[in-house]
Amino acid sequence: MSKSRTPSIKMVADRAGVSVATVSNVLNGKPTVSPDFARRVNDAVRELGYVVDLGASRLRSRKAQLAGVVVPDLTNPMFASFVSTLEHLARLDDYDLVVVSARNNVEEEADRLRKIRSWRPAGLIVIPCDGAFAERLPNGFFAPVVLADRIPDAAGFDLIAVDNGPAAGAIAAHLDKQGYGDCLVLGSSLSITNVRERWEGVRAAAGRMHVEMLEIGIDDVNGAQRLEERLRRRPLPGALFSLDHGTTLLTYRTMAEIGLSVPADLAFASFDDMEWMQLVAPGITAVRQPIEEMAEQAWALLLRRMTGSAGKPVTRRLRCAVEIRGSTPRSPLEEAGNTKLGGEKWTLQDEPYSPE
Amino acid sequence: MSKSRTPSIKMVADRAGVSVATVSNVLNGKPTVSPDFARRVNDAVRELGYVVDLGASRLRSRKAQLAGVVVPDLTNPMFASFVSTLEHLARLDDYDLVVVSARNNVEEEADRLRKIRSWRPAGLIVIPCDGAFAERLPNGFFAPVVLADRIPDAAGFDLIAVDNGPAAGAIAAHLDKQGYGDCLVLGSSLSITNVRERWEGVRAAAGRMHVEMLEIGIDDVNGAQRLEERLRRRPLPGALFSLDHGTTLLTYRTMAEIGLSVPADLAFASFDDMEWMQLVAPGITAVRQPIEEMAEQAWALLLRRMTGSAGKPVTRRLRCAVEIRGSTPRSPLEEAGNTKLGGEKWTLQDEPYSPE
DNA sequence: AGCTTACAATAAAACGTTTCACCAGAATTT
DNA sequence: AAATTCTGGTGAAACGTTTTATTGTAAGCT
């Protein structure tokens, strides 16, 4: 047997009896090649099972067709579906994607960003771990960067996000209108800009309802304990509003462990709508983010930037939908048993949102 | 301003006043370099913000330090956490990962496999879409391949999977022992080898319980309709056992829409334990797969193969845990109200499993 | 018939690295 | 002091491509 290696363009050229340049021309669809030669090359390619070496190809041609994606956590279903959509879109435009997760860790994110430069991507889509993203971006990074979902402290970035404030405000207004006197707002950390925006949205729209915020961190045992203590103290708040996915999970589990029941003991709403929230009874009132659309817009924008469109940084806010379900019934004191699955769907009206 | 480009090793060499070779030696920690020169090089690297070009580096050194990962669907939480674990492990061993999703599509998987060769990975970890994986692996592929989770029809692959048969059998035995007379087993498709193994495990362990299988496909409206029709027909089966995540989701939602209640109308169990299954009331009896361990074993095995360990293909079966919860109470006819959240945990005994 | 144009194919340079062979000088041995 | 071995450093080749410039040949024009 021949000492087989993965075949190179040279081996193809030899086998087809042509020059390397001709093989390259055929493979890249250059028009100046006769049908006869093209056939011979294609045959050789097929017989050898040749595929181009991306590294070498990119090195020489200096065109990347490669984008990097950095997300805080792949196991979060929101981000997973964000990545999955991006992957699909990128493929349609003939781009490759290098995806990395920061595992909810700021230093790891910085590390990944440094590392991803080695790939020489033509652009980057990043969902940053927190607002201080700008500090972690390597200084000599030239490729365009589009941020998504989470809002950076510093200006000057392209940004595709959702209207956190108004959407959270819609939930607060809903709770207020239903007659809840006070609402305990829960979130991982106000250092995450989204959580901050949501909390501010709640305060702005709370009306007569008294609101209060409790930060419980990410995977933080102390935070979890503070939450449990609060839920064991009496009187309970009339409603709970959890501002992010991780917090919602923890809160809901804690309530179950303590034996609190929704909505009899308190109402419950969540930012981030997950699949199971319409499977539990009663369904959980939640803000649903247009995650696929976010991916689409982010990709479209990055693609424009990668193909040379200059211009001022763009900020776009996408509109969330609010799903009203059984966990926040009209009047918590009088009728506490509306456990109908699912619920009416209420969409934010189309009012313009102007960031900053 | 200088016409800045992303800095190359040559620019570093110029700035440090040394040769390119020396820069390379410093960067790769070659011992034969004086502290003084090393410092100068490191300074220049820092000032320029230089990072190596992975493509060029790999091209010349011919050592890849790169592995590919192909999963059927990133939005499936199981696979997402599989990938996330792999990513972490790979980083610890200084490997890069290229992750792609086949989006539950056999042709797309074939396409991705072809494409991923262009990266010249040193190895591949694949969770195949179905058993016919071998046909889709490009013929001239030399790097080692480790399959995970799903069992291929053809032999000759390294494989890390779970003990589908025994685990599913344990659920069937449990249902039988609880006195359910018949069980409708649901799954996406028997063309997925896991589903087949599980179904066979059920049949082998069903005892006196009558079992029947219904395939409902993946995102298949006809299948969904067949399921709904069956659930509207009377008499209902005593128990439902769903063999994969997607099917569980669909089934549970359909039951809710029809107005069937668990476990009053029928018992319900699932292969694949998801977070929400202990959040709903009653909790859902489920088989929990050791997904992180699967990733660990797959990586360890691939790493061995990539670093030259030859030898016969290895098959390893990991043991699943069975979580008994309120959805499959002891006696469905007499006591139909045990809706306690959570439940006792039952682990498979440590009997050897031989996959021939 | 001569002279330009157009075409098809190729040789060779280049991309950013790593590695190999080599070299000058210092340190050691004889 | 001459001969040898180390030592720390460098020039140039090589990796697998794409691209540019160049060649040889056939066709089109006076």
Side-chain angles (χ1 to χ4, degrees):
Chain A
M1 267 291 148
S2 65
K3 39 166 287 196
S4 30
R5 272 264 229 86
T6 110
S8 75
I9 199 175
K10 183 149 191 325
M11 298 163 77
V12 176
D14 288 350
R15 175 174 263 257
V18 302
S19 75
V20 228
T22 302
V23 178
S24 176
N25 285 336
V26 172
L27 261 39
N28 298 314
K30 292 287 192 310
T32 67
V33 56
S34 76
D36 178 41
F37 273 55
R39 200 184 41 70
R40 266 159 58 198
V41 168
N42 284 323
D43 286 351
V45 164
R46 200 165 325 106
E47 288 160 18
L48 265 56
Y50 169 80
V51 288
V52 72
D53 181 318
L54 271 183
S57 167
R58 272 205 272 269
L59 174 58
R60 175 59 237 236
S61 72
R62 317 190 56 93
K63 49 188 66 139
Q65 297 287 81
L66 171 72
V69 178
V70 184
V71 295
D73 179 15
L74 264 181
T75 64
N76 181 325
M78 306 267 306
F79 300 143
S81 104
F82 182 79
V83 166
S84 185
T85 308
L86 277 183
E87 214 197 4
H88 182 59
L89 296 170
R91 181 168 328 160
L92 294 181
D93 289 325
D94 254 316
Y95 270 75
D96 289 306
L97 238 46
V98 173
V99 180
V100 300
S101 153
R103 303 182 119 245
N104 279 324
N105 182 325
V106 176
E107 285 121 44
E108 206 157 319
E109 184 186 281
D111 183 62
R112 297 333 280 158
L113 282 168
R114 219 173 303 124
K115 177 79 184 187
I116 216 171
R117 295 184 59 198
S118 300
W119 291 95
R120 302 280 186 266
L124 235 50
I125 292 181
V126 183
I127 301 184
C129 278
D130 66 20
F133 166 76
E135 304 163 12
R136 294 192 296 276
L137 190 66
N139 48 348
F141 194 80
F142 295 117
V145 177
V146 171
L147 298 187
D149 187 50
R150 293 187 182 172
I151 294 87
D153 297 333
F157 289 100
D158 283 321
L159 173 65
I160 309 289
V162 300
D163 57 346
N164 289 300
I171 293 272
H174 167 70
L175 291 172
D176 179 42
K177 204 185 303 172
Q178 304 294 43
Y180 293 97
D182 65 325
C183 175
L184 177 61
V185 179
L186 304 165
S188 55
S189 164
L190 287 173
S191 76
I192 297 176
T193 335
N194 291 27
V195 176
R196 202 157 61 227
E197 285 193 348
R198 290 166 194 175
W199 165 234
E200 278 156 15
V202 166
R203 279 203 300 189
R208 287 174 314 184
M209 183 172 64
H210 173 251
V211 293
E212 195 176 335
M213 169 91 197
L214 180 62
E215 290 176 87
I216 63 170
I218 296 180
D219 294 331
D220 175 1
V221 282
N222 289 330
Q225 197 161 1
R226 282 203 305 282
L227 170 64
E228 185 175 340
E229 278 166 16
R230 179 61 193 89
L231 291 183
R232 288 196 187 279
R233 211 165 56 227
R234 294 298 177 274
L236 283 168
L240 247 43
F241 182 16
S242 154
L243 296 188
D244 59 79
H245 177 236
T247 305
T248 298
L249 234 40
L250 177 64
T251 305
Y252 197 72
R253 195 177 315 127
T254 305
M255 286 193 297
E257 279 167 10
I258 293 184
L260 294 174
S261 96
V262 173
D265 293 319
L266 32 55
F268 184 54
S270 157
F271 213 106
D272 283 3
D273 187 24
M274 295 285 109
E275 207 146 28
W276 57 270
M277 293 185 186
Q278 45 183 322
L279 295 180
V280 298
I284 296 173
T285 293
V287 173
R288 183 158 47 77
Q289 303 191 47
I291 191 78
E292 277 90 5
E293 196 187 344
M294 203 153 75
E296 283 162 17
Q297 299 255 356
W299 179 252
L301 180 51
L302 183 65
L303 196 60
R304 275 210 305 283
R305 294 292 191 205
M306 290 191 298
T307 48
S309 146
K312 301 179 85 145
V314 169
T315 291
R316 191 164 303 157
R317 295 287 189 154
L318 305 180
R319 206 159 296 282
C320 293
V322 176
E323 306 276 353
I324 303 291
R325 302 200 181 99
S327 70
T328 57
R330 170 160 293 283
S331 178
L333 300 168
E334 292 94 340
E335 55 173 72
N338 173 22
T339 61
K340 185 165 73 65
L341 222 76
E344 44 170 337
K345 174 174 154 184
W346 184 71
T347 308
L348 274 173
Q349 295 142 45
D350 207 328
E351 57 194 23
Y353 178 80
S354 59
E356 124 231 42
Chain B
M1 268 293 144
S2 63
K3 41 168 290 201
S4 30
R5 274 265 230 85
T6 110
S8 75
I9 198 174
K10 185 154 188 325
M11 299 162 81
V12 175
D14 288 350
R15 176 175 263 258
V18 301
S19 77
V20 201
T22 301
V23 178
S24 177
N25 285 335
V26 172
L27 260 40
N28 297 314
K30 291 288 191 305
T32 69
V33 57
S34 76
D36 178 44
F37 273 56
R39 199 183 43 69
R40 265 158 63 196
V41 167
N42 284 322
D43 286 352
V45 165
R46 200 166 323 108
E47 288 160 19
L48 264 57
Y50 169 80
V51 288
V52 72
D53 181 318
L54 271 183
S57 167
R58 273 205 271 268
L59 174 57
R60 174 60 235 235
S61 72
R62 315 192 58 92
K63 48 188 68 138
Q65 298 285 82
L66 170 72
V69 178
V70 184
V71 295
D73 179 15
L74 264 181
T75 65
N76 181 325
M78 305 266 307
F79 300 144
S81 102
F82 182 79
V83 166
S84 185
T85 307
L86 276 184
E87 213 198 4
H88 182 60
L89 295 170
R91 181 169 327 161
L92 293 182
D93 290 324
D94 255 315
Y95 270 74
D96 289 305
L97 238 46
V98 173
V99 179
V100 301
S101 154
R103 303 182 119 247
N104 279 324
N105 183 324
V106 175
E107 287 120 42
E108 205 157 318
E109 184 187 280
D111 183 62
R112 296 334 279 159
L113 282 169
R114 217 173 304 124
K115 177 80 186 187
I116 217 170
R117 295 185 60 197
S118 300
W119 290 98
R120 302 281 187 268
L124 236 50
I125 293 181
V126 183
I127 301 183
C129 278
D130 67 19
F133 166 76
E135 305 164 11
R136 296 193 294 278
L137 190 66
N139 48 349
F141 194 81
F142 295 119
V145 177
V146 171
L147 299 187
D149 186 51
R150 293 187 181 172
I151 293 86
D153 296 334
F157 289 100
D158 284 320
L159 172 64
I160 309 288
V162 300
D163 56 347
N164 289 299
I171 293 271
H174 167 70
L175 292 171
D176 179 41
K177 203 184 308 173
Q178 304 293 44
Y180 294 96
D182 65 325
C183 175
L184 177 60
V185 178
L186 305 164
S188 54
S189 164
L190 286 174
S191 76
I192 297 177
T193 335
N194 291 26
V195 176
R196 202 157 60 226
E197 285 193 348
R198 291 166 194 173
W199 165 233
E200 277 156 15
V202 166
R203 279 203 301 189
R208 289 174 315 185
M209 183 172 64
H210 174 252
V211 293
E212 196 177 333
M213 169 92 198
L214 182 62
E215 288 177 88
I216 63 172
I218 296 181
D219 294 332
D220 175 0
V221 282
N222 289 330
Q225 197 160 1
R226 281 202 308 279
L227 172 63
E228 184 175 341
E229 277 166 18
R230 178 59 192 91
L231 290 184
R232 288 195 188 281
R233 210 166 59 228
R234 294 297 176 275
L236 282 168
L240 247 45
F241 182 17
S242 156
L243 296 187
D244 59 79
H245 178 235
T247 305
T248 298
L249 234 41
L250 177 64
T251 306
Y252 198 72
R253 195 178 313 127
T254 306
M255 287 193 296
E257 278 166 11
I258 294 183
L260 295 175
S261 95
V262 173
D265 293 320
L266 32 56
F268 184 54
S270 156
F271 213 106
D272 285 4
D273 186 26
M274 296 284 110
E275 207 146 28
W276 58 269
M277 292 186 185
Q278 44 184 323
L279 295 180
V280 299
I284 295 173
T285 293
V287 173
R288 183 159 47 77
Q289 303 191 46
I291 190 78
E292 277 91 4
E293 197 187 344
M294 203 154 74
E296 282 163 19
Q297 300 255 354
W299 179 252
L301 180 51
L302 183 65
L303 195 61
R304 273 208 306 283
R305 294 292 190 206
M306 289 192 298
T307 48
S309 145
K312 301 180 86 145
V314 169
T315 292
R316 191 164 303 159
R317 295 287 190 155
L318 306 179
R319 205 161 296 282
C320 293
V322 176
E323 305 275 352
I324 304 289
R325 302 199 180 98
S327 69
T328 57
R330 172 160 289 284
S331 178
L333 300 168
E334 292 95 336
E335 56 173 70
N338 173 22
T339 61
K340 185 164 74 62
L341 222 78
E344 43 170 338
K345 173 174 152 188
W346 185 71
T347 309
L348 274 172
Q349 295 142 44
D350 207 327
E351 58 195 21
Y353 180 78
S354 61
E356 122 235 34

